[in-house]
Amino acid sequence: MLNIHNLSVSFGGEYLFEEISFRLNPGDRVGLIGKNGAGKSTLLKLLSKDMQPDTGVIASDKEVRIGFLRQDLDFEQGRTVLEEAYQAFEEIKSLELQLDGINHQLAERTDYESDGYTKLIEDLSDITHRYEILGGYNYQGETEKILLGLGFKREDFDKHTDTFSGGWRMRIELAKLLLQSNDVLLLDEPTNHLDIESIIWLENFLKGSNSAVAIVSHDKMFLDNVTNRTIEISLGRIYDYNKPYSEFLVLRKEIQEQQLNAQKNQEKQIQQTEKLIEKFRAKASKASMAQSLIKKLDKLDRIEVDGDDNSVMTLRFPVSVTPGKIVVEIEDLSKHYGEKEVLNNIDLLIERDIKTAFVGQNGQGKSTLAKIMVGELEHQGKLKLGHNVEIGYFAQNQAEYLDGNKTILDTMIDAANEKNRSKVRDILGSFLFRGDEVDKYVKVLSGGERNRLALAKMLLQPFNVLVMDEPTNHLDIKSKNVLKQALQNFEGTLILVSHDRDFLQGLTSNVYEFKDGKIKEYLGDIDFYLEQRKVEDFREIEKKQPVKTQKAKKPKKEISYEDQKKLKSLNNKLSSIESDISQLEKEIETIDADLVSDYDTTIAKPNFFESYEKKKHSLKKYMQDWEDLTLKLESLQ
C-alpha cells in the first residue's frame, strides 16, 4: 500500500531521521511513538505528501486515498457543523448541484422530442447512477452517526463552527476524515481533545475499519486497544515490531538485553583476537597469521545495542511568596453559555499548599472554573482570591498563545523581565532547547515541543498557586513523568484538570468531581475517589454514567391512559407509514433498474418523469412524517 524506502529528513544540518525504511500494509494499525521532536508528526506529513524528504522515496499503489488529521486546522467561516462535515463528500455534493440544475431545466423545458432534452435525460440517468454508487442517499445519516459518536448533540448540528473551541473543531475534522473512506488514515494526536466516551467510540471505529492506520499518540491505553504494530523513532532510527505499545516495550527491552549480551561476548572474542595479533606480530614465522587475524577483525560486523534517547527536561516550579491561608473562596458561583448552564451555584474553598484534582466528563465545567479563577471568564456569584495570591496558569490550548512567527529565544526574552532575562538560555537548556535549536521558529515546533516551551515560559513569572488544564496533552511519556515529579515537589497550591489516572496517582490530596452543574468533594487522592465510585478508572465512570441515568429514569415514568391511547394510535400510523415507505422504495428501485437496463423503453412510458418525480417527492414526505412520529413517540415514552 505504502512503501517507504531510505527516507531522510534534516533540519539545520542535523538529521531528524536517516535512511529509514518500512512498509504500511492493509490492516496495519501502527502506533508511531518517540520523544517530543523525534520526528513523528514530520513522518506523517511526509506520508501525506504535505512535505518532501531530503532523500528517499515513498511509493504507493495506484489511486491510494490518504486522509491526514493535522494539528493545524483552517475552517471556512460561516458553515454549520453539518455543512463542514459534508465537505467530506466533495463529489457527492458536486453531483447534487448537477442534479438540481438538470431537474430545474427539465421542469422548465417542454421540447420533449429535442436532442437537447434527450441529452438532459441521459445526463440525469448517468449522474443519478453515480450518485447512488457513491452513497448519495446514505451520507447524511452516516455523517450524523459519526458526529454523535464523537460527542456532538443534534442541537449542535446547525450551529456555526466558529462558535466551537479548537478541540471541538478538531472533532469535526476527525469526523470528515472518518467519513471519506480513505485507504490510509494518518492521525496526529487524535485523542487530545476527546473525552473518554468519544475515545472509546473512536477505538471501536478504528478497530472495525478496513483502512491502514498510522497514529501518533501518547495515550498508552488507546495505543494498546487500537494498534497491532509499533514503530518507535529514536536517535534518527526506527524500531518496528508487530506488537501493540505495551508488548512492544517488553519485547524491545528483551531484544536490547540480548544485543547487550551478544555484544559482551563479541568484545571478549575481539580482545582475545587482539592479544593473539600482538603475540604473533613479535615472531616473523607468525606474521602472516597476524595479518590474517587483522583482516578478519576488519571484516567483523560489530554488534550494536539499539539506542534509547533518554534526554529529559529539567523542571522545577519555585514558589514566589507565601500567600494567606485561604487561596480561593467561591460562593454561589454560576456560569452560563447562552441558555446552557455549566456551573450552578457552586461553593468551593481551597487552602494554601493543597493539591487538588478537577475530574469529570468533558463539558461539565472543569476548564470553565479554571478560567474563572484566573480571570479569563465573567461569572455570576462570588469569587475571592486570598492575600498575596499569585497565579500561574497553563491553559489546555496553551500552545495557541505562542506566536508562531517568533523564535524560541525571542519568545522567552519577550516574556522575561530585567531580573531573569539573563537566565533565559539556561531555562531553555533545561527544557532541551540547546544550541542553535533556540533559533527555531515556534511554527515549526511539534505539539510537544510547544508545550515544553509554554512550560519554560511559565517559569519567567512568579506564582504560588498553579492552575493547570490538561498539561500532559502532546507531552511524551518521559516528559509526563518529569512534569509529575516537578508538581510533586512544588511547595505551593496546585489545581489540576486531568483525565489521566496514571498522571494523577500520588499527585493530589483531594478530588472535586464535576457533574450536572455541581461539584462534589472527595477527601483523598485519585485512588480513593475511584474506590468511592467503585470503579477501576475514568473510562468506567464515563461509560457507566449515561446507563445509570437511563435506568434511573425509566421506572419514574408512568404512562397515563390517555397517553397509552395516543401511543397506540401513533404506533399504528408509524406502521402504516413504514409500509408505504417500503413499497415506494421498491418501486423507485425497480424504475432505476429499468433506466439502466432499457433506458429508451422506460422513458417512453406516458407521463414517466412526472410519475417518477411524484414518487420521489412522496417518499421524502413519508420519511419526514416518519421522523416526526418517531420524535412524538419518544417524548411520550
Side-chain angles (χ1 to χ4, degrees):
M1 188 171 284
L2 284 181
N3 191 19
I4 294 86
H5 182 66
N6 286 345
L7 211 62
S8 298
V9 171
S10 62
F11 289 104
E14 291 187 14
Y15 279 103
L16 197 58
F17 38 76
E18 187 174 8
E19 296 189 349
I20 63 171
S21 300
F22 64 95
R23 182 175 174 81
L24 196 59
N25 303 303
D28 280 346
R29 297 194 298 273
V30 179
L32 279 176
I33 66 169
K35 60 166 284 190
N36 294 141
K40 305 182 295 296
S41 296
T42 299
L43 183 54
L44 291 189
K45 290 175 183 176
L46 292 167
L47 297 179
S48 68
K49 310 292 175 65
D50 273 15
M51 65 181 290
Q52 296 298 317
D54 295 340
T55 61
V57 293
I58 301 175
S60 63
D61 296 343
K62 193 176 181 182
E63 296 181 356
V64 164
R65 293 166 299 175
I66 299 175
F68 181 25
L69 180 67
R70 299 167 177 83
Q71 289 294 316
D72 301 319
L73 304 181
D74 184 21
F75 279 11
E76 185 176 308
Q77 296 290 324
R79 285 181 185 151
T80 66
V81 171
L82 267 182
E83 287 169 346
E84 185 63 44
Y86 288 158
Q87 298 307 305
F89 305 98
E90 290 182 19
E91 187 175 356
I92 287 177
K93 299 300 288 184
S94 173
L95 292 174
E96 282 183 342
L97 289 174
Q98 294 177 55
L99 288 172
D100 285 345
I102 291 172
N103 284 321
H104 185 70
Q105 291 183 61
L106 289 174
E108 291 183 342
R109 293 177 63 157
T110 56
D111 55 335
Y112 305 125
E113 303 300 325
S114 69
D115 291 342
Y117 195 87
T118 302
K119 181 68 168 63
L120 281 175
I121 297 299
E122 291 173 354
D123 291 344
L124 178 67
S125 175
D126 292 342
I127 295 170
T128 301
H129 183 60
R130 178 65 179 166
Y131 183 76
E132 187 175 349
I133 288 173
L134 292 174
Y137 298 114
N138 304 318
Y139 79 93
Q140 293 177 335
E142 282 297 308
T143 300
E144 293 184 11
K145 184 171 76 174
I146 283 182
L147 286 172
L148 291 170
L150 289 172
F152 288 93
K153 298 176 181 176
R154 288 194 180 276
E155 54 263 35
D156 295 328
F157 291 172
D158 294 323
K159 295 177 182 176
H160 285 96
T161 57
D162 51 14
T163 64
F164 290 86
S165 67
W168 283 96
R169 289 200 292 273
M170 182 66 77
R171 295 187 193 210
I172 300 171
E173 191 67 20
L174 180 57
K176 286 161 60 178
L177 203 63
L178 301 181
L179 286 163
Q180 287 171 350
S181 301
N182 290 294
D183 301 303
V184 179
L185 282 175
L186 308 174
L187 306 179
D188 195 356
E189 298 281 8
T191 63
N192 269 359
H193 300 286
L194 300 182
D195 55 29
I196 303 300
E197 199 171 357
S198 297
I199 289 174
I200 293 167
W201 180 90
L202 180 60
E203 286 176 356
N204 292 328
F205 183 95
L206 292 176
K207 285 189 284 189
S209 171
N210 294 321
S211 305
V213 186
I215 305 167
V216 172
S217 179
H218 299 121
D219 185 330
K220 293 186 288 185
M221 188 175 289
F222 180 73
L223 289 172
D224 280 341
N225 288 340
V226 172
T227 62
N228 54 20
R229 180 178 168 193
T230 301
I231 296 178
E232 181 184 24
I233 304 175
S234 178
L235 300 172
R237 297 180 60 188
I238 64 166
Y239 303 94
D240 185 357
Y241 297 99
N242 290 320
K243 298 285 184 184
Y245 179 71
S246 292
E247 292 181 34
F248 160 80
L249 289 181
V250 174
L251 182 59
R252 177 110 150 77
K253 189 175 180 181
E254 289 175 356
I255 290 172
Q256 283 176 319
E257 288 175 355
Q258 291 170 4
Q259 289 173 337
L260 188 60
N261 289 332
Q263 188 186 58
K264 287 178 179 177
N265 290 333
Q266 188 183 60
E267 280 297 323
K268 287 180 181 177
Q269 293 174 3
I270 291 171
Q271 288 173 10
Q272 289 172 357
T273 304
E274 287 175 341
K275 286 179 181 177
L276 284 174
I277 291 170
E278 289 301 316
K279 184 178 178 181
F280 292 158
R281 268 179 176 165
K283 298 179 181 179
S285 60
K286 303 287 186 180
S288 60
M289 190 174 291
Q291 288 300 316
S292 175
L293 289 173
I294 290 170
K295 289 178 182 178
K296 184 179 177 182
L297 273 185
D298 290 340
K299 291 179 181 179
L300 185 67
D301 286 330
R302 305 285 176 126
I303 295 172
E304 294 183 2
V305 178
D306 293 343
D308 282 327
D309 190 346
N310 293 313
S311 57
V312 293
M313 62 182 178
T314 306
L315 182 55
R316 180 176 174 271
F317 295 111
V319 175
S320 55
V321 294
T322 303
K325 184 178 179 183
I326 304 300
V327 170
V328 181
E329 186 177 1
I330 292 173
E331 289 181 15
D332 294 329
L333 186 144
S334 298
K335 177 62 183 175
H336 300 256
Y337 291 102
E339 296 181 0
K340 184 179 180 181
E341 183 180 61
V342 179
L343 298 171
N344 178 21
N345 296 327
I346 66 167
D347 298 323
L348 177 65
L349 187 72
I350 294 179
E351 296 184 356
R352 181 181 62 218
D353 300 341
I354 299 296
K355 290 183 169 67
T356 301
F358 286 177
V359 302
Q361 289 177 304
N362 277 11
Q364 295 293 336
K366 306 183 302 296
S367 296
T368 295
L369 185 56
K371 290 177 181 177
I372 288 172
M373 285 181 176
V374 301
E376 282 201 1
L377 289 177
E378 295 181 355
H379 60 90
Q380 295 80 47
K382 178 185 173 185
L383 183 147
K384 181 182 177 183
L385 297 180
H387 177 65
N388 273 346
V389 166
E390 295 177 336
I391 295 181
Y393 176 49
F394 187 95
Q396 187 173 143
N397 59 338
Q398 187 72 36
E400 294 177 17
Y401 289 81
L402 301 172
D403 186 344
N405 293 317
K406 288 183 179 180
T407 65
I408 294 171
L409 185 59
D410 288 341
T411 299
M412 290 290 284
I413 288 175
D414 291 348
N417 54 41
E418 291 299 326
K419 292 182 179 178
N420 56 27
R421 191 163 286 128
S422 61
K423 299 178 182 177
V424 161
R425 283 188 177 272
D426 291 337
I427 294 172
L428 285 174
S430 68
F431 281 81
L432 305 183
F433 297 115
R434 295 164 183 155
D436 294 339
E437 284 192 336
V438 300
D439 295 321
K440 281 185 180 179
Y441 282 96
V442 171
K443 60 187 175 187
V444 304
L445 300 180
S446 69
E449 287 173 318
R450 291 187 192 188
N451 260 26
R452 280 198 271 123
L453 178 57
L455 284 169
K457 189 180 172 185
M458 283 185 68
L459 299 188
L460 297 172
Q461 304 300 326
F463 55 81
N464 46 34
V465 176
L466 187 50
V467 179
M468 306 195 86
D469 190 358
E470 299 288 359
T472 60
N473 281 356
H474 299 290
L475 287 183
D476 61 61
I477 293 161
K478 290 177 181 175
S479 296
K480 280 186 188 181
N481 293 335
V482 172
L483 176 59
K484 181 174 179 177
Q485 186 66 50
L487 294 177
Q488 285 173 329
N489 295 333
F490 178 52
E491 295 177 354
T493 306
L494 174 66
I495 297 166
L496 182 61
V497 180
S498 180
H499 284 290
D500 191 330
R501 177 184 176 176
D502 289 338
F503 186 70
L504 287 173
Q505 273 183 321
L507 189 50
T508 61
S509 55
N510 66 332
V511 175
Y512 284 95
E513 181 183 37
F514 286 63
K515 184 181 177 186
D516 300 329
K518 300 292 185 182
I519 60 174
K520 182 177 179 181
E521 184 178 17
Y522 292 81
L523 296 172
D525 63 6
I526 198 66
D527 289 330
F528 173 78
Y529 160 72
L530 293 170
E531 183 184 317
Q532 292 295 303
R533 293 298 309 274
K534 294 182 171 58
V535 292
E536 290 296 323
D537 57 37
F538 291 139
R539 287 174 171 241
E540 292 188 47
I541 290 171
E542 298 204 17
K543 281 197 294 184
K544 287 183 178 181
Q545 279 179 346
V547 178
K548 286 182 178 178
T549 305
Q550 222 174 15
K551 287 183 177 178
K553 283 182 179 178
K554 283 186 178 178
K556 294 179 183 177
K557 180 72 177 177
E558 292 185 7
I559 302 175
S560 67
Y561 176 69
E562 288 298 320
D563 283 346
Q564 287 178 4
K565 287 173 65 179
K566 288 179 184 177
L567 276 171
K568 186 174 180 181
S569 173
L570 288 172
N571 275 314
N572 288 337
K573 288 180 181 177
L574 196 64
S575 296
S576 175
I577 286 176
E578 286 174 346
S579 176
D580 291 336
I581 288 172
S582 177
Q583 181 63 32
L584 270 173
E585 284 179 334
K586 287 178 182 176
E587 291 175 9
I588 291 172
E589 189 177 331
T590 301
I591 294 171
D592 288 340
D594 290 343
L595 280 169
V596 173
S597 61
D598 194 349
Y599 176 77
D600 293 333
T601 304
T602 304
I603 65 168
K605 294 176 182 177
N607 301 319
F608 168 75
F609 287 106
E610 290 84 348
S611 173
Y612 184 50
E613 289 300 318
K614 187 176 179 182
K615 288 181 188 293
K616 290 171 74 173
H617 179 75
S618 297
L619 179 60
K620 187 176 181 180
K621 184 178 182 304
Y622 280 136
M623 293 296 287
Q624 184 60 53
D625 291 344
W626 180 88
E627 188 175 337
D628 293 341
L629 282 171
T630 302
L631 290 172
K632 287 180 182 178
L633 272 170
E634 287 178 356
S635 65
L636 278 174
Q637 292 170 337

